[in-house]
C-alpha cells in the first residue's frame, strides 16, 4: 500500500536473465527525439528484512480476497490540490493521469506508453470476472490553497481534507466509479512522510466524509526528502562517490517526476485493491503487500540486484520508460502481472 523507501533494500533476484545486462544496447526511436536504452546500476543493496519480493512467483502469494476492483468505466478521479500548486505542475500531473486511457490510434503516444503500462492493472478482475477499467478521467478538482486543516497532517486528518473538499466542490457521491486523489504541496508534512511512506491509499469513513470511497494521498517531496521519494532522480548524500549520480528526470522536475511515479504506484493499487479486501499478498489486510509493492525499484528488463533495469535516455540525457500525451515522458515502476506471475512493463525487452 505505502510507497515505502525500499529501493535500497532490493533483493538480489533478477527480474529477467542477467544476460540482458551484458547485451549491446539496442536503438529505440520515439516521435520526439532519438533515444537509447541503458541500464544504470544503483548502489549495492543493504541486507535487511523486507516483505518485498521481485521477479519470481516462488516467493509471492498474491491472492484475491473477494473484494471489488475499480471495474466500472471510466474511473472517475476527484483531484484535491492541498496547498499551492503552479499551473505547470498541475498540467504535468494531469497529463500523466489522462495518459492512462487508450487514445485514438492517430493521437496515441509512441510505444511504450502509459496506457500500455496500465494494461497490467487491467488484468486484475473481481469475483464476477470484470476487469479493472482501462479508462480514467479527471471528474472534478478542488483547490485548498489556504491549508484549511493546517500544514501538519496525519493519516486520519487527511479524511478531514477530503470532507472539506466534498462540501466545497461539491463532489458527487460516486460509489461505482469514484476515487479521491489528494496531493499535498511541498510545505505540507504528513505522518510518516519521508520516514516510512511517500504515498498511501485507503478508504473514507462515513463518520468523517459521509460515505465510503477509496482515496490515495501522495506528497510533494521537493524540500523534505527528494532523495527518498524522488529516487532515482535524487540520491541520499551518503551515496556520493559510491555509485552513479542521480538520473535526469524526464520533465526536468526532480520532485514532480518522482511524485508521478508514486502516483502511478498508488493508483494501480487503488484500482486493484480499493477497499483493501481484493488483491494483495500476506495475511494482514492492515499491512498488505500489493501489486506495486512487489515491484518497487524495477523499471525495465534486467532489474534486480541493484539495477533498475533497461530504461531509455533521450538526446538531452533525460531518463524515461514510457510516453504520454502532449509529448510527455515518464519513468514508472513496473507492476506485478497476475498472468506472468512476475513484474511487467511495456518497455520489456524479453
Amino acid at each position: 500500500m505505502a510507497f515505502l523507501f525500499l529501493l535500497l533494500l532490493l533483493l538480489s533476484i533478477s527480474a529477467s536473465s542477467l544476460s540482458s545486462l551484458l547485451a549491446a544496447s539496442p536503438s529505440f526511436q520515439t516521435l520526439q527525439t532519438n533515444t537509447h536504452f541503458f541500464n544504470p546500476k544503483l548502489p549495492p543493496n543493504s541486507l535487511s528484512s523486507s516483505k518485498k519480493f521481485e521477479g519470481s512467483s516462488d516467493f509471492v502469494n498474491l491472492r484475491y480476497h473477494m473484494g471489488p476492483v475499480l471495474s466500472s468505466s471510466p474511473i472517475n478521479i476527484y483531484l484535491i490540490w492541498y496547498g499551492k500548486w503552479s499551473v505547470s505542475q498541475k498540467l504535468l500531473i494531469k497529463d500523466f493521469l489522462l495518459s492512462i486511457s487508450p487514445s485514438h490510434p492517430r493521437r496515441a503516444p509512441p510505444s511504450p506508453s502509459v496506457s500500455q503500462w496500465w494494461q497490467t492493472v487491467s488484468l486484475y478482475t473481481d469475483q464476477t470476472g470484470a476487469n479493472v477499467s482501462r479508462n480514467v478521467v479527471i471528474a472534478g478538482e478542488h483547490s485548498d490553497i489556504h491549508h484549511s486543516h493546517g500544514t501538519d497532517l496525519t493519516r486520519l486528518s487527511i479524511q478531514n481534507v477530503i470532507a472539506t473538499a466534498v462540501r466545497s466542490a461539491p463532489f458527487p457521491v460516486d460509489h461505482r466509479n469514484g476515487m479521491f486523489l489528494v496531493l499535498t504541496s511541498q510545505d505540507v508534512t504528513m505522518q510518516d512522510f519521508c520516514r516510512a511512506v511517500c504515498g498511501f491509499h485507503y478508504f473514507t469513513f462515513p463518520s468523517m466524509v459521509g460515505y465510503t470511497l477509496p482515496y490515495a494521498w501522495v506528497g510533494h517531496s521537493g524540500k523534505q526528502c527528494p532523495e527518498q521519494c524522488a529516487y532515482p532522480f535524487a540520491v541520499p548524500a551518503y551515496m556520493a562517490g559510491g555509485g552513479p549520480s542521480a538520473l535526469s528526470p524526464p520533465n526536468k522536475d526532480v520532485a514532480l517526476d518522482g511524485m508521478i511515479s508514486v502516483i502511478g504506484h498508488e493508483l494501480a493499487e487503488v484500482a486493484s485493491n480499493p477497499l483493501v479486501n481484493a488483491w494483495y499478498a500476506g495475511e494482514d489486510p492492515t499491512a498488505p503487500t500489493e501489486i506495486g509493492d512487489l515491484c518497487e525499484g524495477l523499471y525495465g528488463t534486467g532489474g534486480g540486484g541493484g539495477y533498475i533495469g533497461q530504461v531509455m535516455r533521450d538526446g538531452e540525457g533525460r531518463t524515461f520508460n514510457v510516453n504520454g500525451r502532449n509529448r510527455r515522458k515518464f519513468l514508472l515502476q513496473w507492476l506485478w502481472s497476475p498472468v506472468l506471475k512476475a513484474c511487467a512493463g511495456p518497455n520489456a525487452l524479453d
Side-chain angles (χ1 to χ4, degrees), residues 1-13 45-46 48-56 58-61 196-199 201 265-266 269 280-282 284 286-298 304-305 333 336 343:
M1 177 186 296
F3 191 90
L4 303 177
F5 178 53
L6 290 173
L7 297 177
L8 304 181
L9 308 181
L10 295 174
L11 301 179
S12 298
I13 304 172
N45 48 297
S46 303
S48 175
S49 61
S50 171
K51 66 178 183 179
K52 315 299 184 192
F53 300 97
E54 58 178 337
S56 172
D58 295 339
F59 295 99
V60 175
N61 184 23
V197 299
C198 300
H201 75 90
H265 174 118
E266 296 302 331
E269 294 184 343
Y280 65 87
D284 183 2
T286 66
T289 299
E290 299 169 280
I291 69 170
D293 300 326
L294 292 167
C295 302
E296 283 185 5
L298 274 166
Q333 69 150 89
W336 186 265
C343 298

Side-chain angles (χ1 to χ4, degrees), residues 52-340:
K52 315 299 184 192
F53 300 97
E54 58 178 337
S56 172
S57 59
D58 295 339
F59 295 99
V60 175
N61 184 23
L62 184 73
R63 295 189 297 114
Y64 176 55
H65 295 79
M66 305 305 291
V69 300
L70 296 186
S71 58
S72 297
S73 187
I75 298 172
N76 289 330
I77 295 180
Y78 297 93
L79 260 172
I80 301 172
W81 304 97
Y82 192 79
K84 294 181 179 180
W85 294 84
S86 70
V87 173
S88 62
Q89 289 174 328
K90 288 183 176 182
L91 286 176
L92 175 57
I93 290 173
K94 289 194 288 186
D95 272 343
F96 165 66
L97 296 175
L98 296 175
S99 295
I100 292 174
S101 299
S103 302
H104 186 280
R106 291 184 180 179
R107 300 190 301 271
S111 180
S113 67
V114 176
S115 63
Q116 290 171 335
W117 169 82
W118 188 260
Q119 285 180 16
T120 296
V121 187
S122 69
L123 295 173
Y124 288 87
T125 62
D126 62 17
Q127 56 185 306
T128 71
N131 295 79
V132 169
S133 173
R134 292 195 58 194
N135 294 294
V136 171
V137 300
I138 299 172
E141 296 181 66
H142 173 69
S143 294
D144 192 336
I145 62 174
H146 298 298
H147 308 93
S148 63
H149 295 277
T151 58
D152 187 10
L153 302 177
T154 66
R155 287 176 177 263
L156 188 59
S157 69
I158 201 70
Q159 300 215 18
N160 290 324
V161 171
I162 296 173
T164 296
V166 167
R167 290 192 297 267
S168 302
F171 291 151
V173 182
D174 193 350
H175 288 299
R176 285 180 56 83
N177 300 59
M179 64 158 290
F180 300 107
L181 176 58
V182 185
L183 305 176
T184 52
S185 55
Q186 62 183 351
D187 56 343
V188 177
T189 60
M190 166 64 73
Q191 176 187 2
D192 295 329
F193 186 34
C194 298
R195 184 185 65 81
V197 299
C198 300
F200 61 79
H201 75 90
Y202 207 58
F203 51 85
T204 59
F205 301 152
S207 60
M208 299 187 72
V209 179
Y211 45 84
T212 300
L213 274 181
Y215 72 88
W217 163 83
V218 179
H220 187 300
S221 66
K223 289 185 177 180
Q224 298 180 55
C225 56
E227 70 282 357
Q228 295 175 340
C229 294
Y231 190 80
F233 303 128
V235 297
Y238 66 80
M239 291 183 183
S245 59
L247 302 181
S248 179
N251 297 286
K252 301 182 179 181
D253 190 320
V254 167
L256 263 291
D257 278 304
M259 190 176 186
I260 285 170
S261 184
V262 182
I263 291 172
H265 174 118
E266 296 302 331
L267 289 183
E269 294 184 343
V270 171
S272 59
N273 195 27
L275 300 182
V276 202
N277 61 356
W279 289 93
Y280 65 87
E283 301 302 322
D284 183 2
T286 66
T289 299
E290 299 169 280
I291 69 170
D293 300 326
L294 292 167
C295 302
E296 283 185 5
L298 274 166
Y299 297 84
T301 300
Y307 287 87
I308 71 170
Q310 295 273 11
V311 293
M312 291 171 281
R313 187 162 53 190
D314 67 13
E316 298 181 32
R318 296 179 295 172
T319 306
F320 68 104
N321 63 357
V322 290
N323 295 286
R325 71 195 301 264
N326 291 332
R327 304 171 73 89
R328 300 282 198 185
K329 301 181 181 75
F330 303 102
L331 185 68
L332 302 177
Q333 69 150 89
W334 281 11
L335 301 169
W336 186 265
S337 167
V339 175
L340 299 177

